[in-house]
Amino acid sequence: MVESETRKEEYTIPLREFFDKGMTREVACRIGRLRALRRAITGQMEEINAALWSDLRKSGGEAYLTEIGMVLGEIDYHVKHLRRWVKPRRLATPLAFWPSKSRIMYEPYGVVLIIAPWNYPFQLLLEPLIGAISAGNCVVLKPSPFAPATAEVIKKIVAAVFEPGHVAVFDGEGDVVEQLLKERFDYIFFTGGPRFGQHVMEMAAKHLTPVTLELGGKSPCIVGRGANVEIAARRTAWGKFINAGQTCVAPDYVFVHEDQRAEFVEAIRLAVKRFYGDRPYESPDYPRIVHWEGTERLAHLMHSSGQVVIGGEVNVEEKYIAPTVLIDVDPNSPIMREEIFGPILPVLTYREIDDVIRFVNKREKPLALYYFGPEREAREVLNRTSSGGACVNDTIVHLANPRLPFGGVGMSGIGKYHGKASFELFSNLRSVVKSFTFFDNHFRYPPYKHLNLLKKFM
């Protein structure tokens, strides 16, 4: 490698050298590292909880439910099933090529780059790492600079579990990301906003590097006329206000029938009080916005349209925005045009479900869609809309099942992961045909005298 190429790939050279040794291709090595990762996580639970509290003021309960527990469950699922997943999959072969045999082999891509956001800084960095290790890759991790305490804990865990050439962590500001994106990786996995996701895709295109983009968007929640309004409100409030609304699959806005708006809003009010008490500011279970700039942005959005009927309190210095509900929101206002990514819930009304479906379909395809109500109408909504994932009579829980692929569609993302989908995502599905020499089918060679016969067997 010439000197100029060395400078361009200074981050990845140690990992490529380690990958070339072949250790990561061994299934026992993969499972061993995943088990060691689990031990390291369980051994540093207090440090992880303290870091998540420092970065986002997450309580221990929320930290386990939405971050640590999901990572441990993902590890367990891969360890349990990996030996079966890695086995070559046999497939049928056209009779014209008898006696050949066909199969798919799962091979690692090589060196993978994973870029994570700040909102779930532990889970959204380690869950894709699990899939990449499970598939046999070496990995470069780039945590968010907005969650520095969590990044430090992850660096300690990685150093204790993996050799430096197997997994490397590079923290720092945007210049580090830009330098990494200039290098040639075999796969790039990015979680974040659509705007930077486009930049990642542009940079990857220079090397024709495949990418997965886990983005976001405005995930709608629809409360059908026949829904249990109390449960719909409680589960919507939980999905919206967990992590102070800083969740890519949080309900971004709600449609409720015009005759049920008052009942729904009151049920939301009671749910918020049950979750966080009369003063959410004092609740140890209610997180904070990640930085002051984000708090100011949300405060501006809150007052761009509509009437505040629940919450509305803002303390920029403390990075606090109360669980807030808006009514009478203009569908074309700023809060309805951009992803909110905070604890502000616009409640819109409708008369006919067809109106809601048209509204959703006129906008970019969301990462998630939620419907509460009768099964028949649920099927209609799902059949006539498109989203990365969906829940019926619930919110956000679909991403917690490792058996379900998770990801977006259209502007909300490219590619799916979690569980087996993660293993396959970070694997090259290599098609292999094995032919034999004890018989040679002369029909396939020119001159094609038996073409009509050959057609019957293809």
Side-chain angles (χ1 to χ4, degrees):
M1 180 178 289
V2 298
E3 184 179 352
S4 61
E5 291 176 331
T6 302
R7 285 199 300 267
K8 289 180 181 178
E9 300 189 359
E10 58 181 326
Y11 291 124
T12 57
I13 287 175
L15 289 98
R16 293 201 181 279
E17 291 175 348
F18 190 90
F19 180 75
D20 289 341
K21 294 178 182 178
M23 294 172 55
T24 66
R25 294 177 179 267
E26 299 173 4
V27 178
C29 172
R30 306 181 200 183
I31 293 177
R33 291 308 86 204
L34 290 175
R35 285 174 171 162
L37 179 60
R38 193 187 204 286
R39 290 194 297 271
I41 292 170
T42 55
Q44 297 195 46
M45 294 279 275
E46 290 186 8
E47 293 90 337
I48 298 168
N49 282 329
L52 291 169
W53 178 268
S54 174
D55 289 332
L56 289 156
R57 203 175 177 273
K58 291 190 181 184
S59 67
E62 183 167 322
Y64 191 87
L65 180 67
T66 65
E67 303 231 34
I68 302 168
M70 289 183 62
V71 171
L72 295 178
E74 184 81 0
I75 292 173
D76 292 342
Y77 195 74
H78 280 254
V79 168
K80 180 178 180 180
H81 297 285
L82 183 57
R83 291 191 184 278
R84 186 171 75 251
W85 293 344
V86 299
K87 292 180 179 179
R89 180 155 50 98
R90 294 187 62 178
L91 299 170
T93 306
L95 190 59
F97 304 113
W98 183 88
S100 300
K101 294 183 178 180
S102 301
R103 60 178 174 166
I104 293 175
M105 295 179 61
Y106 298 92
E107 65 175 20
Y109 277 104
V111 179
V112 171
L113 171 62
I114 297 173
I115 305 173
W118 48 261
N119 58 325
Y120 291 90
F122 189 79
Q123 182 230 128
L124 293 179
L125 193 65
L126 293 192
E127 283 228 15
L129 170 66
I130 293 164
I133 296 301
S134 178
N137 298 281
C138 292
V139 186
V140 170
L141 297 174
K142 176 59 183 74
S144 170
F146 295 116
T150 306
E152 284 300 314
V153 174
I154 289 174
K155 287 167 67 176
K156 292 178 182 178
I157 291 173
V158 167
V161 173
F162 300 99
E163 295 185 50
H166 195 176
V167 179
V169 182
F170 293 98
D171 55 5
E173 301 294 331
D175 58 329
V176 177
V177 176
E178 292 301 324
Q179 183 59 44
L180 287 169
L181 289 174
K182 290 177 182 177
E183 299 203 19
R184 182 169 189 163
F185 287 89
D186 300 300
Y187 203 98
I188 297 176
F189 186 103
F190 169 79
T191 305
R195 184 177 302 175
F196 196 76
Q198 290 175 326
H199 177 62
V200 170
M201 199 168 187
E202 289 173 1
M203 297 294 285
K206 295 178 181 179
H207 299 295
L208 294 181
T209 302
V211 298
T212 287
L213 303 177
E214 295 297 336
L215 308 177
K218 298 187 72 63
S219 297
C221 182
I222 304 166
V223 181
R225 187 75 183 272
N228 182 315
V229 174
E230 180 182 355
I231 290 179
R234 185 184 307 137
R235 294 178 182 177
T236 300
W238 173 74
K240 179 62 177 181
F241 300 128
I242 199 168
N243 200 30
Q246 300 165 112
T247 305
C248 59
V249 291
D252 202 86
Y253 60 94
V254 179
F255 265 106
V256 62
H257 193 274
E258 59 184 8
D259 294 340
Q260 296 175 310
R261 188 181 74 174
E263 181 185 1
F264 181 81
V265 169
E266 182 59 26
I268 288 273
R269 189 191 310 276
L270 293 175
V272 169
K273 183 176 181 179
R274 175 181 295 182
F275 297 162
Y276 309 115
D278 292 323
R279 291 177 56 82
Y281 177 83
E282 299 174 354
S283 171
D285 292 311
Y286 187 67
R288 294 296 184 263
I289 308 304
V290 69
H291 45 50
W292 295 300
E293 294 84 355
T295 310
E296 290 175 342
R297 182 189 72 87
L298 290 166
H300 176 74
L301 275 182
M302 183 191 306
H303 299 294
S304 66
S305 178
Q307 174 189 353
V308 175
V309 290
I310 296 175
E313 298 84 9
V314 176
N315 186 326
V316 175
E317 189 66 27
E318 295 292 328
K319 298 178 288 187
Y320 170 79
I321 291 187
T324 298
V325 174
L326 305 177
I327 61 171
D328 299 329
V329 175
D330 182 350
N332 297 312
S333 62
I335 201 166
M336 291 301 298
R337 290 200 306 267
E338 61 180 272
E339 184 177 8
I340 297 171
F341 220 68
I344 305 169
L345 183 65
V347 176
L348 292 81
T349 60
Y350 70 93
R351 292 184 178 179
E352 302 294 337
I353 198 67
D354 286 350
D355 298 332
V356 180
I357 293 172
R358 281 193 293 269
F359 184 94
V360 171
N361 287 339
K362 285 181 180 179
R363 285 149 180 81
E364 297 289 353
K365 294 180 180 180
L367 184 56
L369 182 146
Y370 306 114
Y371 174 82
F372 290 87
E375 183 176 347
R376 182 177 179 180
E377 190 169 82
R379 287 197 302 267
E380 180 183 2
V381 170
L382 292 178
N383 288 338
R384 295 175 58 189
T385 59
S386 178
S387 63
C391 292
V392 175
N393 292 323
D394 217 328
T395 61
I396 79 174
V397 295
H398 62 295
L399 64 83
N401 184 350
R403 297 161 187 81
L404 289 176
F406 173 77
V409 58
M411 286 294 288
S412 62
I414 300 170
K416 308 280 186 179
Y417 75 120
H418 287 186
K420 187 178 181 182
S422 284
F423 167 77
E424 293 185 341
L425 182 77
F426 289 106
S427 298
N428 174 41
L429 276 62
R430 192 177 189 181
S431 300
V432 178
V433 174
K434 181 180 180 181
S435 297
F436 299 88
T437 57
F438 66 84
F439 175 81
D440 200 13
N441 185 349
H442 293 277
F443 288 177
R444 67 179 184 175
Y445 301 126
Y448 302 106
K449 297 180 179 180
H450 305 285
L451 182 59
N452 289 333
L453 182 61
L454 188 63
K455 289 179 180 179
K456 295 181 180 181
F457 295 104
M458 289 189 71

